[in-house]
Amino acid sequence: MSKKKVEPIILAIDTSCDDTAVSLVRGEIILVNIVASQVELHKQYGGVFPTVAKQAHRENIDPTVKLALKRAGLKMKDIAAVAVTVGPGLAPSLEVGINKAKDIAIEFKKPFISVNHIEGHLLSPLAKRNTITKNGDNKKKEKEVKKALKTKFPILGVVVSGGHTDFVLIKEYGKYERIGFSIDDAAGECLDKIGRMVYLGYPAGPVIEEFAKKGDENRFKFPLPMTQVKDYNMSFSGLKTFARNLVIKLKQEAIIEGKKGLDKQTVYDVCASAQKGVFRHILYKLEKVLEEEDVKEIWLGGGVAANVTLRKILRFKANQYGIKFRAPYTNKLCSDNAAMIGLVGAKKFERGEVIVKPGELEKIDRNPRWRIGNLI
Ligand code: AMP
Ligand code: MG
């Protein structure tokens, strides 16, 4: 009689930026995914204020871990290992999560797993819903999900967030090569900065997506950057400058016309045109990758992956090349979260990439600039 393999449960923590995130995963299945958001705290600064973030993480971390376990109906004894983001991210923020994970590892004698935050975004499309209901195992659903998720390597991971815009070749789980990246602002950061120019608050990305639906994306033609550069790198600061000059010009025109500021339709058109400009640049470089590299699938992750237009554009391109496209099943897995850290943790646990000796644990330190593909 074949015994069904029960996957180990990983407790995962991410405090890389402004969200205190704790999750419990079983293999690729997300049991709970809790995010204590600090968005309201940082709104007044128009971005993340590191020392404020650290203090909030300190206050939130213990209750968030407790809440995650409670929601999952689990105790520490049920956990196989603890995984935590070690980098990249804000140093003061990372420290809080790492210290908590070390405390858990020591107190409860659990293996410790260091995780790269970008690897989390890369593997986020792998996440599966928890199909186990109170009535028992929903086998049919689980079977369907498993079938749908058979993967072919190499995969092109596209991470588009507030801090990163990366093309990463996933050769196999744990083997990555970053082949392209933004040399300045990240795509999400660029959208946030443009949104700020037209007073959309922080983060502006989701508002830009909504406003873009009501706007004319062809009213203002944003430049296409880096076309003369042969590599897969991107640059968004020129788009930001173009937007700044455009908004200044539009405001001057409005004043001449006797208006107080930009009318609503103009703001919608700026949003639609800016979004088109940012996504057109990503698509241009993505197409270059698809032309020149062996890619079997495209996986999209990161905060901006929540954008439906971006997903549509990438899905369409993948279809044109006859390859699969995947993105996380919920927006909660796009913005920063610990479920994706748990997914990576589960893969590392399977490969035995864990730390068990307290002496080795002491050596683990935050790595704010940890680049994907490099050893820690
Ligand atoms: P992350 O850095 O992964 O936490 O993602 C946050 C970034 O994603 C911010 O720059 C947001 O403005 C951006 N973002 C979130 N949702 C959307 C959306 N629907 N469209 C565009 N950008 C978004
Ligand atoms: Mg992130």
Side-chain angles (χ1 to χ4, degrees):
M1 210 172 76
S2 77
K3 223 175 164 187
K4 199 178 166 202
K5 191 181 144 200
V6 179
E7 309 242 37
I9 294 170
I10 309 289
L11 171 70
I13 298 172
D14 182 288
T15 59
S16 59
C17 191
D18 58 341
D19 291 317
T20 313
V22 179
S23 180
L24 287 152
V25 308
R26 187 164 51 82
E28 292 171 1
I29 297 170
I30 312 305
L31 303 176
V32 283
N33 182 22
I34 295 177
V35 178
S37 172
Q38 300 177 11
V39 159
E40 290 306 319
L41 256 184
H42 297 283
K43 255 185 182 156
Q44 55 186 310
Y45 308 106
V48 181
F49 202 88
T51 47
V52 174
K54 180 180 177 170
Q55 187 52 35
H57 282 310
R58 276 185 162 163
E59 286 163 17
N60 291 340
I61 190 73
D62 286 350
T64 315
V65 169
K66 273 189 193 139
L67 183 65
L69 287 165
K70 193 176 165 210
R71 284 223 184 130
L74 295 168
K75 299 238 163 12
M76 278 296 184
K77 68 171 172 46
D78 304 313
I79 307 303
V82 56
V84 65
T85 302
V86 167
L90 295 173
S93 294
L94 288 165
E95 194 184 295
V96 180
I98 295 169
N99 287 343
K100 179 68 188 175
K102 282 184 182 179
D103 288 349
I104 293 171
I106 293 165
E107 186 181 345
F108 299 97
K109 296 190 174 56
K110 304 288 177 189
F112 176 100
I113 306 168
S114 304
V115 176
N116 180 300
H117 181 83
I118 300 301
E119 188 175 358
H121 281 304
L122 283 173
L123 299 200
S124 59
L126 260 186
K128 296 172 188 164
R129 288 175 205 279
N130 186 9
T131 55
I132 299 170
T133 62
K134 280 191 182 135
N135 310 328
D137 205 337
N138 187 346
K139 278 182 188 138
K140 188 167 170 259
K141 235 177 166 180
E142 201 164 338
K143 236 179 171 177
E144 271 170 22
V145 177
K146 267 195 182 140
K147 203 174 136 200
L149 288 184
K150 270 222 156 82
T151 47
K152 271 190 203 157
F153 297 98
I155 296 159
L156 177 67
V158 183
V159 177
V160 192
S161 73
H164 300 267
T165 312
D166 291 335
F167 292 130
V168 180
L169 274 185
I170 307 173
K171 297 172 180 179
E172 57 182 83
Y173 297 130
K175 281 207 177 142
Y176 307 99
E177 186 191 350
R178 190 177 73 163
I179 57 170
F181 58 93
S182 172
I183 58 167
D184 41 53
D185 293 352
E189 185 184 359
C190 176
L191 289 172
D192 289 339
K193 286 178 177 168
I194 293 174
R196 208 171 160 180
M197 296 170 199
V198 284
Y199 313 111
L200 301 188
Y202 170 83
V207 187
I208 290 189
E209 174 170 27
E210 282 315 302
F211 281 13
K213 289 175 189 163
K214 299 179 226 169
D216 174 5
E217 61 173 21
N218 297 316
R219 177 160 166 202
F220 308 111
K221 195 156 174 47
F222 278 64
L224 184 60
M226 308 274 277
T227 51
Q228 302 303 314
V229 188
K230 296 267 176 280
D231 59 27
Y232 307 136
N233 290 343
M234 291 156 279
S235 164
F236 294 92
S237 72
L239 297 176
K240 179 184 65 186
T241 308
F242 181 86
R244 180 170 299 123
N245 293 335
L246 174 69
V247 171
I248 289 171
K249 190 178 121 239
L250 291 169
K251 279 183 185 166
Q252 282 169 345
E253 284 172 4
I255 289 167
I256 290 167
E257 285 172 22
K259 294 177 191 158
K260 273 193 182 151
L262 302 187
D263 59 78
K264 263 191 180 162
Q265 192 55 51
T266 301
V267 173
Y268 296 156
D269 294 346
V270 167
C271 288
S273 304
Q275 181 175 280
K276 183 183 177 181
V278 168
F279 292 169
R280 191 163 77 113
H281 179 32
I282 296 171
L283 187 67
Y284 178 86
K285 289 290 178 169
L286 174 89
E287 193 151 20
K288 202 168 164 54
V289 175
L290 296 179
E291 281 297 320
E292 296 169 11
E293 305 290 332
D294 174 31
V295 170
K296 301 284 197 307
E297 298 189 12
I298 299 173
W299 289 11
L300 176 66
V304 189
N307 188 292
V308 174
T309 305
L310 181 64
R311 285 179 185 227
K312 269 192 194 155
I313 294 171
L314 263 58
R315 184 172 286 118
F316 183 80
K317 197 46 66 187
N319 279 343
Q320 270 187 343
Y321 280 78
I323 59 180
K324 246 189 209 164
F325 171 78
R326 266 181 207 162
Y329 71 77
T330 161
N331 287 350
K332 281 190 187 155
L333 292 163
C334 295
S335 48
D336 288 345
N337 66 87
M340 65 184 195
I341 304 306
L343 289 178
V344 176
K347 298 266 178 255
K348 285 193 153 187
F349 187 78
E350 224 175 275
R351 297 197 297 268
E353 292 173 26
V354 299
I355 292 167
V356 282
K357 292 183 190 146
E360 277 181 41
L361 202 57
E362 274 170 31
K363 290 184 215 150
I364 295 291
D365 197 4
R366 62 201 181 175
N367 192 347
R369 293 179 188 280
W370 185 6
R371 186 195 288 180
I372 185 79
N374 287 2
L375 291 176
I376 189 166

